Amino acid sequence: MNELVQLTWNSDIAIVTIDNPPVNALSLGVPEGISEAIEQIAADDGVQAAVVIGGGTTFVAGADIKEFEKFRSGQRPRGPGHLPLLRQIEDCPKPIVMAMHGTALGGGLELAMAGHYRVAVPGTQVGQPEVKLGIIPGAGGTQRLPRLVGVAKAVEMCAYGSPIKADEALRLGLIDRIIDGDLQAGAVGFARDIVGRPVQKTRDKSDKLGTPQENDAIFTAARESARKKQRGVVAPLAAIDAVAASAKLPFEEGCREEQRLFADCLNSNQSKALIHVFFAEREAAKIPDVPKNTSTIAINSAAVIGAGTMGGGIAMVFANAGIPVLLKEADQPGLDRGIARIRQNYVHSVERGRFTQEFVDERLRLIQPTVTFDGFDKADMVIEAVFEGMALKKEVFAELDRVCKRGAILASNTSTLNIDEIASVTSRPDLVIGTHFFSPANVMRLLELVRGKKTCKEVIATAMQLSRKLGKVGVLVGNCRGFVGNRMFHPYMRESVFLVEEGATVEAVDKALYDFGMAMGPLAVGDLAGLDVGWRIRKEYRHLEKPGVRQAVAGDLLCELGRFGQKTGAGWYKYDQNRRAIPDPEVTELVRKWAAEAGVTQRRISADEIVDRCIYALVNEGARVLEEGYALRAGDVDTIYINGYGFPAHLGGPMWFADTVGLQKVYDRILEFHRQHGSLWEPAPLLKQLAEDGKTFASFNAGVESTA
Ligand code: 3H9
């Protein structure tokens, strides 16, 4: 054995404890240690049965993802010896009981399925989440799981990667008993109960493998759904193929097919990108100058100002996390509308099966509507979500500073405005922070946290911790116009409008970017968000525009006609009663006329050019943001774009994507645009530097504070 795996005894029951914190991943040494223990158990006449259990807070969360690069490069044999180990466990003549708590994921569940029995404490989660990393189970999971839970459920678990809870696993036959109370004691008791019974090998079962006719229908439906719901991602389809092999081929051959598909996925750019996304998200939680042990402020109650779409959504986020929240609107009719919207959202959640009615009733009780500041003196944190205008924000913050208790955090949901200027009207700028939620706030995972010049470390640590509690991915950014997300979004949107002005149709621009993988085309996003928002901001900042620099005009032409997007039934598209977008030739004509008058030549534009113009505009601005220190790492920018702007995760985020294309190639294309379109395409100095040095954004570590 080694220090990662311990073998102990409870009289005639052997106990194998895996001890590899934090998640007992199957890192180098763990499979080897388990194998040694099983060898001893098989040879020890004094042992009747064995229990395999995880030390600490969990069973086994899977293979060690950090080691994947070594498998790819051939530094380590693929599949860390898991397949032979699992066969060794299954072939052990003594019954082996897998005792699970926390999570048994990926290789963890594969390990468990090789055991002869499985028990778990309530709340344990089991699953095959490999597709989320762009791979498929690689240690027999796609072959053993269908034998235990049936083909349809195995397809669902392997192709979507969502875990299931212990009670469902028990119903499906994936586990044999739920243990209430002490897991180890319960598992040892269970092991004693089954001593003498024949050991059952999962690989020998076939009663749940279904008939070819039944299975064909399952696989066809699953492939169709995977193509739709996980557009452009290869792993889910490979996972379905691997499960299909389990129903068609003998176990050994099925495993070989799984290995082949696993290797293809592991070596794909998609899996490299998705693994980058996994670690980038966790890295974003680490702020170099805010150590882990920084003290935090307890947030036991909150208040939100503004019961519009954003404010209402934010109140729901707090309530969903069990934090009581006051929701204030300026007048009763506005408040009533806001509360009605919240109720409606919850009704949809119940209809879709996301929440139970009981959960929703409880959450609604946590939201207290008000038109006064009564009770604000008790809130630990207030989030302002009023109309986007500096004068109004300042007025609200001055009032909040008067009514809120000392030590309460004052946060603004502004998406573009200067957080230092907002903080300047308070007596506590150290307690002011930007909390930029994304619409719809109760759905979108991103929370951009904006650090002002004076925001103290305690507030940053609190906000980071709170984002996790709220189910959000918090990313700390610096205070510049539009922060990181919207600052980059601006040139992306600008190019999409320029392309229309230069002759591309609205549909062609949206389709090119949708086909690239964006959740929605940029112009459809504009219609959803409301074109008037940008129009108003552009008017507010008009004085900052540089003379002679081209401005996107077509969106303003639409706004002048009252076409604000979906809410007015027309924007870039027309909308029917079901809010379905219909291409509108009037828009093409309007822009054509304007272009003729303005002297802008219209031409045919390819889908490739559309993608390059929009995505490289994003990348170029991302490079500036990084260089200026407004984002701490390229991975933070990627995390923001994937969780807040619908950038496809399997491409890793804009900065990772640019690295994959090659920065020299990206730089050359930007130079070409610079020659054609002028100063807006000035290449970012960091991009130039990295391209010339043959480096990547991922290798760039600014090592700077997040405020410049
Ligand atoms: C697999 O198993 C393939 C197989 O088929 C076999 C093929 C041969 N490896 O998320 P957290 C780290 S593929 C390495 O903040 P939570 C994580 O980076 C794998 N490290 O905690 C973080 O480090 P740090 C299939 C891992 O409580 C720390 O642990 N399995 C791994 O919110 C805490 O993580 C999966 O895909 C790992 N496998 O959530 C499961 N997992 O503190 C992936 C975690 O330095 N993991 N770390 O930032 C998860 O989903 C969540 O981490 C889990 C805990 C739910 C387990």
Side-chain angles (χ1 to χ4, degrees):
M1 241 73 29
N2 50 42
E3 72 282 3
L4 300 172
V5 180
Q6 285 103 44
L7 178 59
T8 54
W9 293 266
N10 181 323
S11 87
D12 55 348
I13 307 293
I15 299 161
V16 181
T17 307
I18 303 165
D19 199 3
N20 184 24
V23 295
N24 291 328
L26 297 167
S27 321
L28 181 66
V30 174
E32 292 77 0
I34 301 172
S35 174
E36 236 179 273
I38 300 295
E39 213 172 291
Q40 278 194 33
I41 288 163
D44 187 341
D45 290 341
V47 171
Q48 300 268 19
V51 167
V52 177
I53 194 167
T57 54
T58 188
F59 186 65
V60 172
D64 187 335
I65 307 166
K66 292 192 187 87
E67 292 181 349
F68 281 5
E69 204 38 60
K70 294 194 183 117
F71 303 142
R72 281 197 199 105
S73 62
Q75 270 174 282
R76 279 194 57 192
R78 188 169 41 74
H82 294 166
L83 279 175
L85 167 67
L86 302 194
R87 177 167 271 277
Q88 182 195 2
I89 293 171
E90 217 167 28
D91 286 342
C92 181
K94 319 270 171 74
I96 297 187
V97 178
M98 297 289 174
M100 300 180 282
H101 68 307
T103 54
L105 299 175
L109 179 57
E110 290 172 307
L111 172 71
M113 290 190 293
H116 305 116
Y117 296 93
R118 283 153 295 280
V119 298
V121 294
T124 305
Q125 299 209 44
V126 300
Q128 300 284 177
E130 286 89 341
V131 282
K132 296 187 178 165
L133 301 171
I135 55 171
I136 66 165
T142 61
Q143 307 303 301
R144 287 195 178 85
L145 190 59
R147 287 174 160 80
L148 289 170
V149 303
V151 168
K153 191 68 194 178
V155 163
E156 185 190 313
M157 288 174 71
C158 293
Y160 289 100
S162 304
I164 57 170
K165 292 245 175 78
D167 49 354
E168 189 180 357
L170 179 71
R171 268 200 312 279
L172 291 165
L174 183 52
I175 62 173
D176 302 287
R177 186 181 290 173
I178 302 255
I179 305 280
D180 289 307
D182 184 73
L183 176 61
Q184 183 166 311
V188 167
F190 181 89
R192 289 226 159 81
D193 291 349
I194 47 102
V195 164
R197 282 200 226 156
V199 290
Q200 36 179 7
K201 295 180 186 173
T202 306
R203 69 171 189 260
D204 290 344
K205 291 178 189 269
S206 60
D207 56 309
K208 292 191 177 172
L209 288 179
T211 65
Q213 289 87 334
E214 287 163 355
N215 291 341
D216 276 354
I218 293 169
F219 297 131
T220 306
R223 286 191 182 99
E224 208 172 293
S225 151
R227 282 197 189 97
K228 223 184 281 162
K229 295 193 185 141
Q230 302 181 77
R231 206 160 38 92
V233 194
V234 294
L237 295 169
I240 297 166
D241 288 349
V243 175
S246 77
K248 271 197 305 250
L249 303 174
F251 180 79
E252 293 301 337
E253 274 181 55
C255 284
R256 275 197 292 279
E257 181 60 3
E258 180 195 80
Q259 287 295 291
R260 190 186 65 74
L261 291 160
F262 175 81
D264 285 352
C265 289
L266 185 67
N267 290 315
S268 69
N269 278 342
Q270 291 196 357
S271 98
K272 289 175 196 159
L274 286 163
I275 288 170
H276 156 71
V277 170
F278 177 86
F279 285 118
E281 198 176 306
R282 281 150 185 88
E283 198 60 23
K286 295 166 192 155
I287 315 300
D289 70 329
V290 183
K292 233 176 164 181
N293 58 3
T294 306
S295 59
T296 53
I297 298 163
I299 306 295
N300 296 319
S301 63
V304 174
I305 305 240
T309 311
M310 274 319 284
I314 296 169
M316 288 173 77
V317 171
F318 276 89
N320 291 347
I323 302 173
V325 58
L326 285 165
L327 178 61
K328 180 184 178 305
E329 187 44 91
D331 53 37
Q332 196 61 44
L335 186 62
D336 293 344
R337 276 195 302 277
I339 292 294
R341 201 178 305 113
I342 289 173
R343 284 187 183 281
Q344 194 54 36
N345 280 336
Y346 276 131
V347 167
H348 286 315
S349 301
V350 173
E351 279 167 2
R352 284 199 307 269
R354 189 166 165 235
F355 295 145
T356 61
Q357 188 58 50
E358 197 188 355
F359 177 90
V360 163
D361 291 343
E362 247 171 57
R363 304 304 119 172
L364 279 168
R365 273 196 291 277
L366 289 174
I367 302 175
Q368 201 188 316
T370 176
V371 287
T372 71
F373 280 104
D374 289 352
F376 271 61
D377 55 335
K378 303 213 172 51
D380 298 316
M381 180 174 189
V382 182
I383 296 98
E384 162 277 310
V386 301
F387 200 71
E388 190 77 348
M390 183 53 90
L392 179 61
K393 301 261 181 200
K394 281 183 168 171
E395 207 178 289
V396 169
F397 269 74
E399 183 65 24
L400 285 177
D401 195 38
R402 270 191 294 279
V403 297
C404 293
K405 68 181 175 192
R406 285 170 70 90
I409 297 178
L410 305 185
S412 172
N413 182 53
T414 176
S415 56
T416 48
L417 301 175
N418 186 335
I419 201 76
D420 289 329
E421 195 177 337
I422 296 174
S424 70
V425 298
T426 73
S427 62
R428 54 178 111 184
D430 53 325
L431 292 173
V432 175
I433 189 166
T435 49
H436 179 204
F437 287 82
F438 286 70
S439 186
N442 52 317
V443 177
M444 299 296 283
R445 284 185 80 219
L446 179 63
L447 180 53
E448 219 180 16
L449 299 170
V450 189
R451 178 182 199 162
K453 266 201 191 77
K454 296 192 176 153
T455 311
C456 69
K457 293 180 184 178
E458 211 180 356
V459 168
I460 293 171
T462 303
M464 291 304 295
Q465 192 184 59
L466 180 70
S467 7
R468 214 173 146 98
K469 186 165 181 194
L470 298 180
K472 304 288 173 199
V473 188
V475 183
L476 188 70
V477 299
N479 178 29
C480 57
R481 190 172 144 201
F483 316 126
V484 170
N486 281 349
R487 175 171 160 180
M488 288 171 61
F489 202 56
H490 179 256
Y492 169 80
M493 292 300 272
R494 173 200 77 205
E495 286 305 310
S496 71
V497 178
F498 280 173
L499 285 157
V500 172
E501 293 176 357
E502 291 165 31
T505 61
V506 169
E507 308 83 86
V509 171
D510 276 353
K511 181 174 184 318
L513 286 149
Y514 179 79
D515 290 347
F516 169 79
M518 299 300 290
M520 285 172 84
L523 301 166
V525 169
D527 274 359
L528 181 67
L531 301 178
D532 53 324
V533 182
W535 185 41
R536 203 171 311 114
I537 294 170
R538 278 191 294 281
K539 281 199 274 191
E540 182 161 346
Y541 284 107
R542 197 131 280 168
H543 60 286
L544 296 178
E545 284 171 7
K546 289 194 194 121
V549 174
R550 180 176 171 189
Q551 301 295 329
V553 172
D556 295 354
L557 298 178
L558 298 177
C559 287
E560 278 154 22
L561 295 176
R563 298 179 68 126
F564 292 167
Q566 286 197 17
K567 60 185 165 193
T568 55
W572 291 107
Y573 296 88
K574 280 188 294 199
Y575 292 88
D576 64 14
Q577 308 89 309
N578 301 319
R579 295 210 161 185
R580 231 189 339 248
I582 304 161
D584 189 350
E586 262 181 46
V587 173
T588 315
E589 190 46 31
L590 181 77
V591 179
R592 195 195 57 74
K593 255 187 160 159
W594 167 85
E597 280 164 26
V600 174
T601 314
Q602 291 208 318
R603 61 192 169 93
R604 286 183 76 82
I605 301 178
S606 71
D608 283 350
E609 181 179 342
I610 292 171
V611 170
D612 286 357
R613 288 265 296 270
C614 293
I615 299 296
Y616 292 169
L618 207 55
V619 171
N620 203 31
E621 196 64 27
R624 287 184 207 286
V625 155
L626 208 52
E627 183 170 25
E628 291 165 16
Y630 292 109
L632 277 168
R633 323 157 181 95
D636 287 12
V637 176
D638 291 334
T639 304
I640 287 175
Y641 261 78
I642 289 167
N643 293 287
Y645 294 85
F647 196 96
H650 65 274
L651 297 182
M655 311 316 278
W656 180 269
F657 173 72
D659 282 349
T660 324
V661 172
L663 294 191
Q664 184 64 51
K665 212 168 147 192
V666 174
Y667 175 60
D668 288 345
R669 190 78 165 125
I670 287 179
L671 277 182
E672 205 180 313
F673 292 146
H674 189 211
R675 279 191 297 274
Q676 289 166 4
H677 303 285
S679 64
L680 286 171
W681 277 101
E682 178 86 45
L686 177 65
L687 172 63
K688 180 173 187 285
Q689 184 70 54
L690 293 174
E692 283 171 0
D693 295 350
K695 291 193 174 152
T696 57
F697 286 124
S699 71
F700 175 75
N701 188 351
V704 292
E705 307 278 316
S706 60
T707 35

